Each structure stands twice: as structure tokens, then as C-alpha cells.
Amino acid sequence: MHPTCRELPTVEECKAAAQVISYPCLRECVEKQCAGVKVNCASEEIQSACRSKSSEGLIALGYVVRFSDKPTSCMNPSREVNWCEQPSSRDCRAISMVHELAHACGWRHGQGLGVPGDDGELLCE
């Protein structure tokens, strides 16, 4: 994880939160990403995108940029996550990071597989 980003879960919290993922390849990908992903947070561009992704009382804690020319999968994940630095509980930060790392590993909303916030909304504080 990025040492200067605020409101990040620890690697251990991230790995523990990943245990709910039922598909082994995806779970293992997320667990590896907990320690190895590059977390971007410092630019105003990222924080502005975070504000625009927040809507109707829901606050975005992170997002992954997908590129159509670089498809991702649990065997070929994206190596970057953008983090919003929004205050939230330790548990919420961990499950939000797991959600975003699952995206980095090729998962999409509606695929289930035990990923928190399958419908795109994580309801935590």
C-alpha cells in the first residue's frame, strides 16, 4: 500500500477482508494485490474523480481505471488502484479496497463470487 495515502487499510486487514471471495483465483489475486498494488491518491485529478463518483449519500472510497486495450483477469491484474482518502471505519476501508482490487483482477459488478458490494454499492460507515 502507498505510505502517504490516508485512510488506507493495512495489508493484513485487506487480506482478512478478501477471505469472503469464493472463487479461488480471484481471492488469491486480491490477496497478492493487497501487498503489491500501487495506490494512487495524491493528485487533485484523482480526488476530483472521487467527488464526482460519490452520489446520493454514497461516498466513493476508490476506483480502478479500465482500459479496453488491456483486459484484466485474476491471472493478469491491473497493478494500480486510485484511492479517495475519505474517512470511514477500518472495516469499511478494508472491504472497499477488496472490492477495488477485485476490479483490478478482472471482476465486474453482478458477477458475485463473494466480492463485497456486488451491486456496486458498499453500505458501510
Side-chain angles (χ1 to χ4, degrees):
M1 300 280 175
H2 195 286
T4 61
C5 293
R6 296 184 316 259
E7 304 295 334
L8 279 174
T10 66
V11 171
E12 295 76 18
E13 290 167 338
C14 180
K15 286 182 177 182
Q19 296 308 301
V20 298
I21 299 174
S22 60
Y23 184 59
C25 184
L26 182 60
R27 183 179 58 250
E28 290 166 16
C29 178
V30 169
E31 289 172 341
K32 287 177 186 172
Q33 294 282 72
C34 284
V37 73
K38 177 182 177 190
V39 180
N40 302 313
C41 62
S43 78
E44 178 52 36
E45 180 182 339
I46 290 171
Q47 296 309 313
S48 177
C50 289
R51 289 188 293 275
S52 70
K53 291 177 183 299
S54 297
S55 64
E56 298 178 23
L58 297 174
I59 298 172
L61 295 182
Y63 65 96
V64 172
V65 176
R66 294 178 191 233
F67 300 99
S68 59
D69 63 332
K70 296 180 185 177
T72 58
S73 70
C74 58
M75 300 301 287
N76 184 35
S78 168
R79 301 286 182 201
E80 294 188 26
V81 169
N82 294 324
W83 192 248
C84 297
E85 299 187 307
Q86 295 294 327
S88 60
S89 70
R90 295 184 77 82
D91 287 342
C92 191
R93 292 192 301 250
I95 64 172
S96 294
M97 181 59 76
V98 164
H99 178 97
E100 297 309 327
L101 292 177
H103 283 309
C105 293
W107 174 85
R108 295 188 181 274
H109 294 151
Q111 287 185 309
L113 307 176
V115 176
D118 182 51
D119 64 355
E121 294 183 7
L122 285 171
L123 303 176
C124 59
E125 297 177 10

